[in-house]
Amino acid sequence: MAPVRERFLNACRKQPVDCTPIWVMRQAGRFLPEYRELRKGHTMVECCTTPELATEITLMPVRRFDMDAAILFSDLTVPYLAIGVEFEFKEGVGPVITQPISNRTDVERLIPFEAEQALPFVTESVQRLTKQLEVPLIGFCGAPFTMASYMIEGKSSRDYAKTRTMIQADPELWATLMDYLERSICSCLLAQIKAGASAVQLFDSWAGALSVATYRQHALPWLQRIVKCLKQTGVPVIYFAVGASHLYPCLREIGADVLGVDWRIPLSQAHQQLGPEFALQGNLDPTALLAGTDVCLQQAQIVLDEASELPGHIFNLGHGIMPSTDPDVLTSLVDFVHDRSRR
């Protein structure tokens, strides 16, 4: 096997790189024709839980584009298979929980598990990939607030009112649920690292719905403990929250090596607020790729200019790539980022 390229990992650690590394959230997904073809015969759950399929889908964007990292093809709902929370994927809606959590009895029914035994297909997928990849593999899991929100709301929500209500009405129950998720998430990510993942990312898709005070009291402590646990392994830890620039004073305290930045705030401004101790990841607006190659590359140059003086920068989108994206535009973007940032 050829040696793993270190460009992405060096940037995570704010070490010198020959050019800016790039990978894209949801890079193995619905915008790829080969992925859509494979999905014709398989459900989303089958793709996540069958190592041969998860491996193949993870490799698809690495074969097609000159990416500096791969990310394990999975879904933040996969741990629910071990937890005992039933769900299904609905077209145009996403994961839908069959019986959302609403009381202490529901929480007490959740099954304690060790990921290596309960989710062996994840470990096998990572092991298969690390034997084939020439770039680092990123493992991932949902962050505890986002995982809890799906379990309480039953599906994606506009305002996460049920979740925010539980936090206020029964903070002890909320803490019990978060304690459980902390242990579960640590187990999932440690298993991926043990199997060969070179970095991990915590996706907090819905953290932006929280106020600073609520986030600090009811989300941050569990994130801090998870990151402390993971950092003992020595792999870089990335944290990404959407619509969360108002939470930056709290994000500074998580302890992650890399903080993802969405498209709503310039990288230079994020750097000012977060400080020099973190590498930053982001933050091209995903719709720039829908506007055509010329517009996309103009916007990419703005991101590169914003990041030119940063101590560590990983080029990415400000959220997941959209299904209607033309793969050829992404090819041009990847090449452009490498060429324009060459040291």
Side-chain angles (χ1 to χ4, degrees):
M1 183 182 71
V4 174
R5 284 191 289 173
E6 296 295 318
R7 185 184 294 154
F8 164 76
L9 295 175
N10 285 346
C12 287
R13 298 180 173 117
K14 297 184 297 173
Q15 296 171 349
V17 292
D18 60 327
C19 65
T20 300
I22 177 172
W23 70 279
V24 173
M25 288 181 280
R26 296 180 185 162
Q27 65 188 26
R30 290 174 293 173
F31 81 105
L32 288 175
E34 54 266 45
Y35 170 80
R36 292 196 295 268
E37 186 64 29
L38 185 149
R39 277 294 310 278
K40 287 179 181 178
H42 303 282
T43 66
M44 180 66 173
V45 173
E46 286 175 334
C47 290
C48 293
T49 60
T50 306
E52 295 85 354
L53 296 175
T55 299
E56 174 61 23
I57 296 170
T58 302
L59 292 171
M60 284 177 178
V62 180
R63 294 193 190 107
R64 183 186 272 263
F65 312 106
D66 188 22
M67 295 294 185
D68 293 292
I71 185 164
L72 175 67
F73 180 80
S74 188
D75 190 82
L76 64 80
T77 55
V78 165
Y80 295 159
L81 297 170
I83 288 171
V85 174
E86 295 184 2
F87 66 93
E88 61 178 320
F89 285 95
K90 290 191 176 181
E91 192 66 32
V93 178
V96 177
I97 305 298
T98 306
Q99 292 183 304
I101 285 175
S102 62
N103 55 52
R104 183 164 294 277
T105 300
D106 293 336
V107 173
E108 290 173 348
R109 287 197 189 107
L110 300 176
I111 302 168
F113 71 91
E114 292 296 330
E116 286 187 83
Q117 288 75 43
L119 304 170
F121 50 86
V122 175
T123 298
E124 183 178 342
S125 297
V126 173
Q127 290 171 337
R128 285 171 175 259
L129 285 161
T130 53
K131 291 176 181 177
Q132 299 182 55
L133 284 166
E134 297 183 6
V135 295
L137 176 67
I138 304 168
F140 80 91
C141 197
F145 172 77
T146 293
M147 296 279 287
S149 296
Y150 268 116
M151 295 163 73
I152 295 166
E153 303 288 338
K155 59 183 179 180
S156 181
S157 167
R158 180 173 297 177
D159 53 19
Y160 302 92
K162 294 178 182 177
T163 306
R164 290 158 56 205
T165 299
M166 179 185 286
I167 290 172
Q168 297 180 80
D170 197 340
E172 290 186 5
L173 177 59
W174 173 258
T176 300
L177 177 57
M178 293 291 274
D179 286 343
Y180 173 83
L181 288 171
E182 175 195 330
R183 293 189 295 270
S184 302
I185 292 165
C186 283
S187 180
C188 288
L189 292 176
L190 288 173
Q192 292 177 47
I193 293 168
K194 183 178 178 181
S198 299
V200 291
Q201 176 158 314
L202 282 161
F203 283 90
D204 219 350
S205 306
W206 314 125
L210 295 177
S211 69
V212 173
T214 302
Y215 183 92
R216 181 175 294 282
Q217 183 175 355
H218 298 289
L220 179 60
W222 289 274
L223 280 166
Q224 289 173 322
R225 291 195 288 268
I226 290 170
V227 171
K228 182 178 179 180
C229 170
L230 297 174
K231 290 188 74 170
Q232 294 177 26
T233 67
V235 307
V237 178
I238 308 167
Y239 176 78
F240 176 66
V242 184
S245 57
H246 64 293
L247 300 175
Y248 280 178
C250 300
L251 269 56
R252 288 172 51 89
E253 301 173 27
I254 292 171
D257 301 283
V258 184
L259 294 174
V261 180
D262 73 15
W263 72 92
R264 295 173 175 86
I265 183 171
L267 283 174
S268 59
Q269 187 176 336
H271 173 67
Q272 275 187 333
Q273 295 183 30
L274 291 167
E277 59 266 40
F278 307 103
L280 297 185
Q281 179 174 277
N283 69 333
L284 182 68
D285 187 334
T287 62
L289 283 86
L290 306 183
T293 300
D294 290 345
V295 172
C296 178
L297 300 188
Q298 289 169 9
Q299 295 301 309
Q301 185 62 59
I302 293 172
V303 174
L304 289 173
D305 290 344
E306 286 282 332
S308 61
E309 301 299 323
L310 300 188
H313 176 226
I314 300 153
F315 197 103
N316 208 310
L317 304 184
H319 202 195
I321 192 166
M322 294 183 168
S324 56
T325 300
D326 181 348
D328 290 341
V329 177
L330 182 57
T331 297
S332 298
L333 173 64
V334 173
D335 293 342
F336 179 86
V337 168
H338 286 153
D339 292 343
R340 287 302 180 98
S341 64
R342 191 75 59 181
R343 309 294 193 258

